[in-house]
Amino acid sequence: MADSEAKWYILHTYSGYENKVAADIAKLVENRNLQHLIEDVTIPTVTRTVEKEGGKVVEVEDKLYPGYVFVKMVETNESWYICRNTRGVTGFVGPEGKPTPLSENEVRDLEQGRKETAISFEVGDRVAIRQGVLEGFEGEIAEIDAERQTAVVNVSNMFGEVTPTTIEIAAIKKI
């Protein structure tokens, strides 16, 4: 079962236990000085901006793969045992629960943080807002942040004033 190179594996967890599992494994690795076996434990997330009631804008972090924790480890009996027997883990993703490392393409997607959606807008395009408090309003794109998947839209209100507003790209459509 021993392989000298660390690879990425996926652990399946009980729903809502992802953070606890990742923290428990990381703590165990630190306490037992096992960084040579388990190099990294991560939960891929994406941050999005949400407008709450009353107009307050907050950033919310969503798990990209709820119920899964990604572990970069050297596959040994000890590393397998540590991961598999952490409270909240139901098993490794793979045939018959046996650890199956991710391919290089899958690792690239993981390191990218998320799969980017294609942005079909350009600065200066007229757009309509499809969601949120400003639903139904129109505006012009002033800037685009591809990494955060947001755009600053100059929204025209009913008094003819223009207000720059940051909006998720998924919440606007080109007109």
Side-chain angles (χ1 to χ4, degrees):
M1 186 180 241
D3 185 4
S4 61
E5 185 182 340
K7 296 180 180 164
W8 283 101
Y9 296 86
I10 305 174
L11 292 172
H12 186 262
T13 68
Y14 292 122
S15 182
Y17 277 71
E18 302 91 351
N19 293 338
K20 177 89 170 108
V21 165
D24 287 352
I25 291 173
K27 186 175 182 181
L28 193 61
V29 166
E30 186 178 329
N31 289 344
R32 293 190 184 175
N33 211 15
L34 298 172
Q35 292 85 352
H36 64 285
L37 288 181
I38 300 176
E39 294 181 6
D40 195 5
V41 181
T42 188
I43 304 164
T45 58
V46 63
T47 304
R48 62 185 174 95
T49 306
V50 177
E51 192 168 336
K52 298 281 186 177
E53 287 184 37
K56 184 176 180 182
V57 177
V58 296
E59 286 194 352
V60 178
E61 202 169 77
D62 293 328
K63 292 176 182 67
L64 280 176
Y65 309 104
Y68 296 96
V69 173
F70 292 73
V71 179
K72 186 174 186 180
M73 67 179 200
V74 176
E75 187 182 348
T76 65
N77 288 334
E78 186 176 11
S79 62
W80 180 89
Y81 184 85
I82 288 169
C83 292
R84 181 61 187 92
N85 291 299
T86 298
R87 184 183 301 252
V89 173
T90 61
F92 280 93
V93 172
E96 299 175 17
K98 294 179 182 168
T100 303
L102 295 174
S103 71
E104 289 182 26
N105 288 339
E106 292 167 326
V107 171
R108 242 180 272 122
D109 287 344
L110 174 65
E111 289 172 350
Q112 187 180 10
R114 64 183 159 158
K115 294 177 182 162
E116 299 289 338
T117 55
I119 298 174
S120 58
F121 304 106
E122 294 179 6
V123 173
D125 284 351
R126 296 276 310 155
V127 294
I129 301 170
R130 301 184 304 169
Q131 301 173 8
V133 178
L134 298 174
E135 182 177 355
F137 281 87
E138 295 180 0
E140 186 176 295
I141 294 182
E143 61 185 82
I144 297 172
D145 186 340
E147 186 176 317
R148 290 180 177 244
Q149 294 289 296
T150 60
V152 174
V153 179
N154 290 327
V155 180
S156 303
N157 66 20
M158 63 184 125
F159 303 111
E161 298 171 342
V162 174
T163 306
T165 308
T166 302
I167 301 174
E168 287 185 32
I169 288 178
I172 58 177
K173 69 177 179 180
K174 195 172 180 177
I175 52 174

